Amino acid sequence: MRPHPDTPSDAGPGLLHVDAGGWGLTWAADGDGRMHQVGLGPDGHLAAAEVDPVWYPDAHPTLGGPDPFRPPALRITHADGTLTTRLRAERVDREPVDHDGTDDPLDEVVTLHTVDDLLPLRVRFRFRTHRASGVLEQWIEVDHDEDGPVILWDYDSLAPALLVGPDARVVQFGGSGWADEWAWTSESLTPGTKVLDSLGGIQPHLQRSPCLLVEPHGPAGEDHGAVLGLSVAWGGNVRFALDVRPRSGQDGRDLRLRAGANPLGAHYVLDPGTTFVTPTVAWTWSDRGRHGVSDRFHRWTRARVLRDPDRTRAVVANNWEATFFDFDEERITGLIRRSADVGAEVFLLDDGWFGTSHPRDDDDAGLGDWDVDRRKLPGGLTALTDAAGDAGIRFGIWVEPEMVNPASELYTEHPDWVIRDRREPREHRNQLALDPLRPEVRDFEVGVVDRTLAAAPATSYVKWDANRPVTDPGTEALATDRRSNAWVDWVHATWSVMERVASAHPDVELMLCASGGGRTDHGTLRWFHEFWTSDNTDPVTRVRMQWACQHFFPASATAAHVTRWGGRPLPFACAVALSGRFGIDLDLRALDDSDLGVLRRAVDCAVRTRPWVQHGTLHRLVSPVDGADRSRAALAFVAPDRSGAVLFAYQLDEPEHPGPVLRLPGLDPDATYRARITDLEHGTDGPEWEGTGSGFAEFLLDWGPTDPTTATIVEVTRR
Ligand code: DGJ
């Protein structure tokens, strides 16, 4: 432990400063040791209480704390039936962060230790900084020595108080479920409590992303206005609650923002001597608009979350949309060769390759039986890895280790392995979920990946899918009075399986998928290289999805494949996939020479531009989700060393107004650059022109009238 240089010398049990890098927070104890939030925001870590801290908001409301009229962030029934919890600060610890040596030497984990003043229950408020990005990770831990178990009813990870303006807004992401992830909704924060939550346990983010933007002083722009970005790093159900109170006679309003795991139906029974750890919420405060939030989240995601962040992601060709379950060895080896021929670097064999007594010819059989279906693939997986090796392309494979079809040998042998209660379990996509609280199930799930990779040792890429939610929660692995713990424990158990797989196969790249983007959270992503953003690959919808998703996740993590969804022109579909981790999911047999030419040019473009797209800085230029004209979108990625950039301009629908002038910020102002339009359709040399970085920051291109579902790509390189 060491003192933080910014920590005032009077820091003691009663004062907590957290410098998150450009912003932070300060809590101070009143005379009774209750913590109050006395500072939050750009100067929040420097704040000192100007009056007695008792006049400031409760730092983390509990039932029984100073503010009885706010929903508590922590609500516990104690072993003796006491309903209240009243915490007193004991001390603050500071430890340096040691994370692969990439952190600022001043990064630290700050822990505020508190204790209930009646009962032997302790709560630790924990903060981990990443000052290089300005993203702060926050969570709490609870343990106790009471005479029996306590029940946690509410357990938010954080609950800051903010004074917001009358035009304060919140932006949430998510739509009607499958294929509708990341729908953008921006709305006013009006008085009352707004709860934004998700359910279903395994793929909750299909309904609503665990990420949120709050604009406390009114609508923000890309480079102006205050914006808070929050991400609950949790692979289970999530809840945001925004409790807004008007201030009589004043413009401002009080906001109490709570975020964490969704406790609905998930109260946690905590035994003495055990520790409950809430999910981590990662959050940041930008006073330079939404770009500030994205830039920070991208840096933090690369530094703290993503596996092998510096490894450039390959061009993946998948067979799912091309074949679904209908394939054989000849068709797959043909696709492998064609994929290599257009320049793809990984061929990913999707669902349908397994099942012997219950062949996986549709989604109604075979899940759980991970032996290769020799009817379809007589040479086994090695015939495919050999074909890939011959074609000079890597091989990847799809698995869904957590699931079982009732029509399977696994279910026949182990009907008791599934998540269910005493009712007949409901099927969803004809399948049931295995119960990861059973150790033998966890071993089985790890074994699914192990044996698949053993059957095809040259495999270097795995897509991990999960295609149903929990609908009938129940588990024999927990005592009858502990069953509601399962919602939390399932996440930890599943993460332990993923951790084992990732550490057993360090060189295998993993894609995270759950019926599309059902698991896009910064907690689960720690064991993966990227995620499947959505099954919806209609490029018009995808532009808006990627726009929203890339507020929190770098493009290297957002897999985007060219498909025929929506029947859009191929050059446009390619251009949209190029602003994510580019891939292909097309029946390559069905493409004529002209389409194959488009695809080859798109792959070449992906290879040229991916150092900028995957590792560079994202600049959003024209928004398809808010603003005057939502018929178009433009965004650019600038190389970390500013040696190059790529700009994508998408015309989605009939334009409502003439196209704006496009500028390209972020280049070296004094350097000279050459810009060139990339024509995916014809491959002819596009127009070229030169300018300085400062010149291009003012004007790169006049975006004239363009037809719907067309794209303009400008590649810019330093001279
Ligand atoms: C859902 C995924 O999102 C799809 O990409 C595909 O892998 C199917 N599952 C396969 O069942």
Side-chain angles (χ1 to χ4, degrees):
M1 263 164 263
R2 59 186 163 68
H4 189 281
D6 291 345
T7 306
S9 55
D10 61 346
L15 193 61
L16 169 87
H17 280 285
V18 179
D19 179 354
W23 71 289
L25 53 84
T26 300
W27 292 1
D30 63 24
D32 295 325
R34 317 276 173 244
M35 296 304 283
H36 297 262
Q37 178 193 301
V38 303
L40 172 66
D43 296 325
H45 59 298
L46 305 173
E50 286 163 9
V51 293
D52 186 336
V54 76
W55 298 109
Y56 288 84
D58 194 357
H60 196 88
T62 60
L63 184 65
D67 186 349
F69 306 114
R70 287 275 182 174
L74 182 63
R75 189 163 60 95
I76 298 174
T77 299
H78 295 270
D80 67 356
T82 299
L83 298 175
T84 55
T85 299
R86 197 165 294 162
L87 300 173
R88 189 181 65 241
E90 282 204 310
R91 67 175 202 282
V92 174
D93 285 345
R94 293 172 180 274
E95 304 158 56
V97 170
D98 182 19
H99 183 85
D100 300 341
T102 57
D103 296 286
D104 182 316
L106 295 180
D107 277 326
E108 55 185 354
V109 177
V110 186
T111 307
L112 167 69
H113 297 259
T114 68
V115 61
D116 187 81
D117 61 9
L118 177 69
L119 293 153
L121 177 132
R122 293 162 293 276
V123 180
R124 290 179 292 284
F125 295 89
R126 310 204 65 185
F127 307 83
R128 185 160 81 139
T129 67
H130 185 249
R131 291 159 55 112
S133 66
V135 170
L136 177 66
E137 296 164 45
Q138 190 171 335
W139 71 100
I140 67 173
E141 297 169 359
V142 182
D143 63 33
H144 69 95
D145 304 310
E146 299 192 15
D147 288 338
V150 306
I151 303 174
L152 282 73
W153 299 97
D154 285 287
Y155 37 81
D156 293 299
S157 303
L158 51 73
L162 291 100
L163 183 60
V164 303
D167 301 324
R169 295 187 81 78
V170 59
V171 184
Q172 57 161 309
F173 307 96
S176 56
W178 177 77
D180 201 18
E181 302 91 327
W182 293 102
W184 176 285
T185 305
S186 169
E187 61 201 310
S188 294
L189 270 177
T190 50
T193 301
K194 184 170 192 69
V195 174
L196 301 169
D197 63 359
S198 56
L199 291 167
I202 293 173
Q203 38 172 234
H205 314 326
L206 275 190
Q207 308 152 41
R208 180 171 276 128
S209 157
C211 301
L212 195 75
L213 297 174
V214 177
E215 299 175 344
H217 306 318
E222 280 302 317
D223 53 10
H224 66 272
V227 188
L228 280 81
L230 298 104
S231 172
V232 184
W234 188 235
N237 303 339
V238 165
R239 177 179 74 176
F240 294 103
L242 300 114
D243 181 23
V244 180
R245 307 280 167 102
R247 290 188 152 213
S248 191
Q250 295 182 30
D251 267 356
R253 292 170 176 164
D254 288 320
L255 165 65
R256 176 72 73 168
L257 168 61
R258 288 175 286 132
N262 186 359
L264 187 69
H267 61 270
Y268 201 91
V269 182
L270 185 68
D271 286 310
T274 58
T275 302
F276 180 85
V277 183
T278 69
T280 295
V281 175
W283 60 310
T284 193
W285 182 308
S286 162
D287 51 4
R288 296 188 324 276
R290 292 177 189 160
H291 173 77
V293 167
S294 303
D295 203 40
R296 288 165 174 217
F297 264 98
H298 293 181
R299 285 167 196 265
W300 171 77
T301 304
R302 289 177 178 128
R304 288 270 175 86
V305 180
L306 216 50
R307 282 184 63 200
D308 301 326
D310 299 330
R311 184 189 291 178
T312 296
R313 274 48 175 161
V315 174
V316 176
N318 190 4
N319 69 306
W320 177 243
E321 300 256 339
T323 65
F324 295 106
F325 298 97
D326 181 18
F327 58 79
D328 57 18
E329 187 173 298
E330 193 193 343
R331 185 141 188 226
I332 294 300
T333 51
L335 272 173
I336 287 173
R337 281 192 297 274
R338 286 189 174 85
S339 300
D341 188 48
V342 295
E345 296 156 311
V346 175
F347 177 82
L348 167 61
L349 177 63
D350 213 284
D351 197 352
W353 57 268
F354 51 89
T356 47
S357 53
H358 300 82
R360 180 80 171 160
D361 290 336
D362 207 330
D363 61 19
D364 57 1
L367 261 187
D369 299 349
W370 295 98
D371 287 319
V372 71
D373 179 356
R374 297 261 170 188
R375 292 173 318 141
K376 286 182 188 170
L377 303 173
L381 294 177
T382 49
L384 305 184
T385 55
D386 288 350
D390 291 346
I393 188 170
R394 291 165 50 201
F395 186 75
I397 197 154
W398 177 97
V399 292
E400 192 176 5
E402 302 157 77
M403 301 287 166
V404 63
N405 285 125
S408 67
E409 289 174 22
L410 181 72
Y411 189 71
T412 308
E413 281 167 34
H414 301 289
D416 51 335
W417 276 16
V418 300
I419 292 176
R420 60 171 296 181
D421 58 14
R422 289 171 54 219
R423 300 169 209 282
E424 200 47 38
R426 269 181 291 175
E427 293 176 21
H428 185 103
R429 209 196 188 210
N430 303 304
Q431 66 194 58
L432 300 166
L434 299 173
D435 183 354
L437 297 184
R438 304 175 78 110
E440 63 275 29
V441 166
R442 294 198 292 279
D443 291 345
F444 170 82
E445 292 176 2
V446 172
V448 169
V449 182
D450 288 348
R451 64 188 280 184
T452 303
L453 291 175
T459 306
S460 61
Y461 184 100
V462 169
K463 175 178 180 181
W464 180 314
D465 205 347
N467 284 300
R468 69 157 288 162
V470 174
T471 52
D472 305 279
T475 174
E476 293 289 324
L478 295 174
T480 49
D481 59 351
R482 300 286 195 285
R483 297 259 162 97
S484 62
N485 291 9
W487 289 107
V488 167
D489 292 351
W490 277 326
V491 177
H492 290 297
T494 303
W495 282 358
S496 78
V497 172
M498 292 169 170
E499 184 173 21
R500 283 168 64 186
V501 167
S503 59
H505 306 285
D507 298 326
V508 174
E509 284 179 50
L510 291 181
M511 180 208 257
L512 177 58
C513 174
S515 298
R519 271 183 171 158
T520 44
D521 66 88
H522 284 103
T524 313
L525 190 58
R526 283 173 294 166
W527 295 287
F528 293 82
H529 294 79
E530 57 193 26
F531 53 74
W532 182 227
T533 313
S534 173
D535 274 352
N536 191 329
T537 47
D538 177 341
V540 170
T541 316
R542 259 305 177 112
V543 165
R544 297 191 171 98
M545 283 183 175
Q546 289 170 197
W547 183 272
C549 178
Q550 289 177 0
H551 276 70
F552 295 89
F553 296 95
S556 54
T558 61
H561 292 181
V562 183
T563 73
R564 280 292 147 94
W565 194 316
R568 314 296 184 177
L570 191 60
F572 176 68
C574 290
V576 172
L578 281 165
S579 61
R581 196 282 285 134
F582 181 83
I584 300 163
D585 204 337
L586 292 168
D587 185 356
L588 297 174
R589 287 184 321 186
L591 298 190
D592 60 20
D593 285 347
S594 152
D595 285 346
L596 286 169
V598 170
L599 210 51
R600 284 198 187 95
R601 285 189 282 280
V603 173
D604 288 347
C605 182
V607 171
R608 278 194 311 273
T609 58
R610 66 186 170 187
W612 312 328
V613 172
Q614 296 186 12
H615 307 298
T617 303
L618 167 65
H619 295 274
R620 286 179 298 263
L621 306 169
V622 177
S623 170
V625 296
D626 55 6
D629 182 353
R630 300 177 193 182
S631 72
R632 48 170 69 91
L635 63 158
F637 298 88
V638 178
D641 64 359
R642 302 189 291 179
S643 60
V646 58
L647 179 143
F648 300 98
Y650 303 116
Q651 186 69 52
L652 307 176
D653 308 312
E654 284 297 339
E656 293 164 32
H657 303 284
V661 158
L662 290 174
R663 40 182 213 94
L664 178 56
L667 298 174
D668 178 349
D670 301 323
T672 303
Y673 292 87
R674 170 166 292 170
R676 184 170 56 87
I677 292 192
T678 304
D679 182 347
L680 294 180
E681 186 162 8
H682 305 102
T684 48
D685 288 342
E688 283 190 13
W689 65 105
E690 279 191 5
T692 59
S694 58
F696 281 172
E698 296 299 321
F699 178 88
L700 178 74
L701 177 72
D702 200 348
W703 195 1
T706 43
D707 292 331
T709 61
T710 58
T712 305
I713 303 172
V714 188
E715 292 178 54
V716 177
T717 44
R718 186 155 46 197
R719 296 268 296 148

